[in-house]
Amino acid sequence: YIIPPGVILDIKIDTKPFTAETGSERNEPMKVTGKVTSCVMKATGHYRLGICFTRIQKEDIDLIDNFIKIKEHRKAPRWDMTK
């Protein structure tokens, strides 16, 4: 289903893919709140959502950052938009 921009979602994210790569242990999911910024149909019944997290714990940010550092293969550095 199309989720229009502006909709606020409470999201649970399984941490297993993140902890498997970083070597950390965590069984409980991340619990975040996010605002839909875009929704694009990629194939029939499949959509790609852009979500801006509006509430996320510091430890979840760190887990995601570490995962990106391990998995990302960019030649140019990613912009740090937190500063």
Side-chain angles (χ1 to χ4, degrees):
Y1 298 99
I2 293 176
I3 302 175
V7 170
I8 304 296
L9 301 172
D10 287 323
I11 306 166
K12 289 183 182 177
I13 302 172
D14 183 6
T15 57
K16 289 183 187 94
F18 298 95
T19 58
E21 291 296 328
T22 61
S24 58
E25 285 190 33
R26 181 167 163 184
N27 295 322
E28 72 279 355
M30 289 185 227
K31 295 177 184 175
V32 302
T33 300
K35 181 178 181 180
V36 175
T37 58
S38 65
C39 181
V40 178
M41 183 185 288
K42 300 307 281 182
T44 303
H46 295 269
Y47 299 85
R48 177 170 291 162
L49 287 178
I51 298 176
C52 176
F53 294 143
T54 57
R55 184 184 56 80
I56 184 169
Q57 299 294 317
K58 172 75 168 97
E59 65 183 297
D60 296 335
I61 293 170
D62 294 341
L63 188 62
I64 292 169
D65 280 345
N66 289 334
F67 179 81
I68 291 171
K69 286 176 187 168
I70 291 168
K71 298 299 273 186
E72 188 171 50
H73 301 289
R74 291 178 183 242
K75 292 184 192 263
R78 181 177 287 271
W79 288 1
D80 183 357
M81 302 184 80
T82 62
K83 297 178 182 174

